[in-house]
Amino acid sequence: MNRRAALLGAALAAFAGGSAPRAQTPPPAAGGLTAEQDHRLMLDRLGIKTLRPGVDGYNSAAPNYVNQDEAKAGPFSPLPDPLVFPDGRPVATPDDWWKRRRPQLVELFSREEHGRVPQRTPEIRWRVVSEKHEVRNGVAVRERRLAGDLDNRAWPAVSVSLDLLLVTPEGRGRRPLVLEFGFPDGAPWLKGRPAPPGPDWRDLVLARGWGYAIVDPTSVQPDNGAGLSRGVIGLVNHGRPRAPDDWGALRAWAWGASRVLDFLATDPAVDDRRVAIEGLSRYGKAALVAMAYDQRFAAGLIASSGEGGAKLHRRKRGEQLENLAASGEYHWMAGNFLRYAGPLTVDDLPVDAHELIALCAPRPVFISVGNDQADGWVDSRGMFMAAVAAGPVYRLLGARDLGLTAFPEPLTLAADGELAFRQHEGGHTPGPNWPYFLDFASRYLERP
Ligand code: GCU
């Protein structure tokens, strides 16, 4: 049987309610696995006995307390060069990049870090859950709550429904839009608390005549290892544990954002060629992953994304790769990524964060971070260095880099080119950087 026929056969078997044969995939555990069990199972499949522990961000007396001393931060080994082919030849032209080098990097990131999106993913059907017309801060808006139901006929034990809030200014014309990975009803941990100081980003966006949307990532894929048998990952895998190069939550969340973008392309109120994506922290990582893999996203605000986001893995400051590989965070990543926390090391990783940023080139990316005291875990300098090291790819494609190479003073705005960086006065939030990002993004999104 050729490969096509084999795939078709598997798909038909799945649709008929039978289980699609999946090479070497163990059967689902009754009742599901805990994150620790699923993590251990993945380590067993990889033949790994133990992983090196991550750093401790809380207990300053701990021997593995997180490093914040720049003298010990490095990177002490060379970064992989995005503009050199594996055989040593230079990547000399945009054609070299688009046709040959970029696909190589996409493959490496997919296999080793984020996992692969399955060849077949479930169809999605959108329905309007509620709709109202309102005035928000002086702007007349149409507010829709939508549910994107995934076709689960092949595995009815798992239901997945994307939760999306879409708010667009009333009136004619297709508008730019900012899509946030977040919580349509507000972050649960901010319930009942006073609003943070400064303007609300949603009002700033509407004041420009743009729309905004918020998709709840956890409606695409739960944010824990036990949830890997559910969400879109569990649905596609029929509840079975992942293969080592299967997608992790970051890639699944990014996939969800791409499905939202598909929907926005059908909406007469939105110009899908002018959609920016934004996220904070783990969702900042997801926003960067979404931009890197889906070239339709026109701009990105990547806020305090840190390790696994815009921060160089090879930096020994702030959170470390080993933290990502532990049972509380491994579900964000592909199983293969755990190998770099033992026996391999970060120096064996064939890619680093500057290349993830480079996959966004030549599109505009704004790297945002708070002050070093409150936001030290994400290593602002490590993210700045990654943005600098992505610069040659931007230049090769005729775009402008960050425009500086020395780490700037806090509050300095570096945004003359297509890569931007600003360390704001607040903590672990995009808050104070929103006006700067919107000015930066408007250069691209308000262009006809
Ligand atoms: C933890 C984790 C970070 C992550 C953050 C968040 O601090 O170590 O990698 O970015 O949670 O998402 O809030």
Side-chain angles (χ1 to χ4, degrees):
M1 201 175 354
N2 66 28
R3 191 172 155 71
R4 226 186 120 95
L7 281 173
L8 194 65
L12 284 176
F15 228 74
S19 54
R22 253 176 140 269
Q24 304 168 342
T25 308
L33 303 176
T34 64
E36 286 70 24
Q37 288 167 336
D38 181 75
H39 186 247
R40 184 66 254 167
L41 191 69
M42 179 59 78
L43 294 180
D44 292 345
R45 292 191 72 177
L46 296 167
I48 297 175
K49 282 211 171 55
T50 56
L51 294 178
R52 293 182 300 277
V55 293
D56 184 325
Y58 295 101
N59 177 11
S60 57
N64 60 337
Y65 185 57
V66 56
N67 176 48
Q68 295 296 3
D69 177 358
E70 189 49 36
K72 296 183 183 141
F76 298 110
S77 56
L79 297 179
D81 191 335
L83 293 184
V84 174
F85 285 109
D87 66 4
R89 277 182 313 122
V91 176
T93 64
D95 216 46
D96 277 350
W97 172 258
W98 291 115
K99 297 220 178 92
R100 290 169 284 278
R101 183 57 176 153
R102 192 178 187 285
Q104 284 175 354
L105 290 173
V106 166
E107 166 62 15
L108 287 175
F109 274 112
S110 298
R111 197 181 68 211
E112 303 297 319
E113 185 153 353
H114 306 119
R116 302 178 194 283
V117 173
Q119 291 208 341
R120 285 183 85 238
T121 50
E123 294 293 319
I124 180 164
R125 189 165 293 164
W126 291 96
R127 77 192 139 83
V128 179
V129 177
S130 64
E131 170 160 3
K132 51 189 177 191
H133 296 266
E134 279 200 323
V135 176
R136 203 192 140 100
N137 205 34
V139 182
V141 296
R142 177 179 177 209
E143 182 175 318
R144 279 170 284 174
R145 190 70 169 258
L146 294 132
D149 302 323
L150 301 193
D151 181 352
N152 68 343
R153 281 174 297 175
W155 193 250
V158 173
S159 323
V160 182
S161 181
L162 274 56
D163 182 9
L164 176 69
L165 174 72
L166 174 58
V167 180
T168 48
E170 303 276 12
R172 291 178 162 277
R174 307 191 74 168
R175 315 299 186 92
L177 179 134
V178 178
L179 172 61
E180 165 164 273
F181 277 123
F183 300 92
D185 297 316
W189 58 91
L190 294 179
K191 283 264 151 65
R193 296 245 214 121
D200 186 308
W201 71 273
R202 296 167 294 183
D203 294 331
L204 295 174
V205 168
L206 292 176
R208 289 181 179 266
W210 305 359
Y212 68 84
I214 304 177
V215 64
D216 178 353
T218 63
S219 69
V220 183
Q221 183 59 42
D223 189 7
N224 52 66
L228 289 168
S229 60
R230 290 175 282 118
V232 67
I233 296 176
L235 176 55
V236 173
N237 280 348
H238 294 184
R240 295 184 191 89
R242 296 183 298 167
D245 66 345
D246 274 355
W247 49 349
L250 293 180
R251 192 88 198 256
W253 293 338
W255 176 87
S258 293
R259 301 296 68 78
V260 170
L261 193 49
D262 296 344
F263 173 76
L264 295 175
T266 68
D267 193 284
V270 180
D271 183 351
D272 61 306
R273 290 159 312 169
R274 295 187 288 161
V275 172
I277 187 157
E278 176 265 338
L280 167 70
S281 208
R282 68 197 62 189
Y283 301 147
K285 309 182 208 300
L288 182 57
V289 169
M291 263 216 73
Y293 289 100
D294 188 337
Q295 296 185 54
R296 296 174 301 164
F297 287 108
L301 171 54
I302 312 302
S304 298
S305 60
E307 179 67 26
K311 176 206 164 218
L312 292 173
H313 291 297
R314 284 169 172 75
R315 286 267 300 174
K316 305 264 178 288
R317 187 167 175 178
E319 189 177 15
Q320 296 296 294
L321 181 151
E322 285 77 5
N323 295 78
L324 284 182
S327 64
E329 299 181 5
Y330 79 105
H331 62 280
W332 295 340
M333 319 302 292
N336 274 336
F337 187 74
L338 309 190
R339 291 156 44 236
Y340 298 96
L344 301 178
T345 75
V346 72
D347 290 333
D348 298 305
L349 196 63
V351 284
D352 211 324
H354 60 306
E355 292 169 307
L356 189 60
I357 301 171
L359 291 183
C360 305
R363 291 164 294 147
V365 174
F366 190 116
I367 312 260
S368 166
V369 59
N371 74 67
D372 246 357
Q373 288 69 48
D375 211 10
W377 187 237
V378 304
D379 182 19
S380 50
R381 201 185 282 252
M383 299 198 289
F384 172 80
M385 288 175 164
V388 171
V393 176
Y394 274 74
R395 293 198 300 272
L396 178 73
L397 302 180
R400 289 159 300 174
D401 61 16
L402 206 49
L404 69 171
T405 51
F407 190 54
E409 287 296 313
L411 309 187
T412 307
L413 175 66
D416 292 339
E418 277 65 58
L419 284 167
F421 179 87
R422 186 171 183 270
Q423 196 180 356
H424 62 65
E425 61 276 30
H428 195 60
T429 167
N433 270 347
W434 269 107
Y436 298 94
F437 168 68
L438 293 175
D439 277 347
F440 167 74
S442 70
R443 302 203 309 247
Y444 308 93
L445 303 189
E446 282 171 0
R447 253 190 338 214

